Structure formats: C-alpha cells, structure tokens
Amino acid sequence: MGVVVTGASALVSAVAAMQPNSLDIVGEMGLKPGRWRTTIQIIDATIVPTPGRPIPAGAAERLKQAIGSSMDTEDCIGSIRPPGSDLVLPGIKIEAACVLGEVEADQRILRIKGTCGSMADGFKADMNVQAAHSATAMTANVESLAFSEGVGFSTRIVVTTNSKYMGQCPAS
C-alpha cells in the first residue's frame, strides 16, 4: 500500500482533500503519453525503531547497503486514467487509495504530498514528491516515511528519478 517507486517496491511501499483519481495530473503536467524509461537511485535510507522494540538483526545494515544503488524501469504513461486507478508517473506509482493533501502540477513542476494507509490500520506512509519536467523528460526527488505496527519501526527512503520518453507503448 502506498507510493511505490517502480522497481523498488521491496524498499518503498510506499491531509485530506483530493484522491489521485480525481485529478488529471498527467494531463496537467503535459507528459507525452507512451513508454518512459527511468533510472532510480537510492540516495538515503534509514530505520527508526519504536521505543522498546528492537530493529530486526541485519535490517539497518541491508538498508544502508542499498544507498547509492540504482535500477532502471519502464512505465507506460497514459493520457487517460480510469476512475479509481493508481496514478502512474514515470518511475512512480501512487495507489488510488492514497489521500493527497497537496498537489501542484503544471507544464514545468510537480509537487505532491500525501498519505497512504493510517496508524489505525497498522501501516502508514507519508510521501513527498517534487519533480521538474518537460513533455519528454522528468527528474524527481521522492521521500517516503513508512511505519508498520507489525514490524515496529519506521523506514525513511529518499530516491531520485531521471526519466525520458522512449516512444509508443508496446501493443497489448
């Protein structure tokens, strides 16, 4: 549940006014519909334990080792998103159930702050997306702070994305 930096869902699983399906964010941004290739780099990652609960053995070290790693992904970005569907941007997917508290999108910039889940449900992720883009290229900083009651710690992950339009999506 949450904001997922495409390809890094093991690390990021990844208020109140608008749902992602109520906005035409891709249209507001003027992104060219089609296939986008994204390089994602993890620039920071930390674990914060809940008082009185230990961090699982090796978890902090494995997360620390991920800093500096990168991966490539591809996404098909559509010009029309069906109601109730996830928001898919180059290298970033925000689940339809997430609540967006702040959204600013135009032909040059994108800023999104939102929350996925709730403490009452045992999982909550706060996200902050800031991007600069043209119709065929986008760079973004994505920060996610996720807490899971079941594991008893918060995970903060910061990634950068660098995306380029590659052409038409393959026929399905």
Side-chain angles (χ1 to χ4, degrees):
M1 162 182 289
V3 59
V4 176
V5 177
T6 309
S9 60
L11 293 174
V12 180
S13 184
V15 206
M18 300 175 250
Q19 296 298 324
N21 61 9
S22 69
L23 302 170
D24 180 15
I25 293 173
V26 172
E28 292 289 324
M29 293 173 69
L31 295 180
K32 190 165 184 176
R35 185 171 50 95
W36 287 70
R37 178 169 294 142
T38 301
T39 298
I40 300 163
Q41 183 171 28
I42 300 169
I43 59 172
D44 194 21
T46 55
I47 291 178
V48 179
T50 300
R53 293 183 73 176
I55 295 174
E61 187 59 34
R62 284 190 302 276
L63 193 58
K64 188 175 184 178
Q65 289 174 353
I67 296 172
S69 66
S70 65
M71 61 206 82
D72 293 324
T73 66
E74 284 194 9
D75 297 292
C76 263
I77 305 301
S79 59
I80 298 174
R81 188 164 35 102
S85 64
D86 297 341
L87 172 60
V88 179
L89 299 166
I92 302 166
K93 181 175 96 174
I94 300 173
E95 292 184 4
C98 297
V99 176
L100 303 182
E102 294 180 33
V103 177
E104 182 181 351
D106 64 28
Q107 303 282 322
R108 298 173 292 108
I109 58 114
L110 170 69
R111 291 186 184 101
I112 298 175
K113 288 186 180 183
T115 300
C116 304
S118 71
M119 294 305 277
D121 295 333
F123 175 84
K124 179 182 175 192
D126 292 319
M127 71 183 117
N128 185 2
V129 177
Q130 295 194 21
H133 63 85
S134 68
T136 59
M138 183 170 111
T139 59
N141 291 317
V142 181
E143 180 178 3
S144 175
L145 179 61
F147 177 78
S148 173
E149 182 64 39
V151 296
F153 57 83
S154 296
T155 306
R156 178 182 169 271
I157 299 176
V158 180
V159 301
T160 59
T161 67
N162 193 346
S163 307
K164 293 193 185 301
Y165 175 77
M166 302 303 289
Q168 297 293 322
C169 292
S172 21

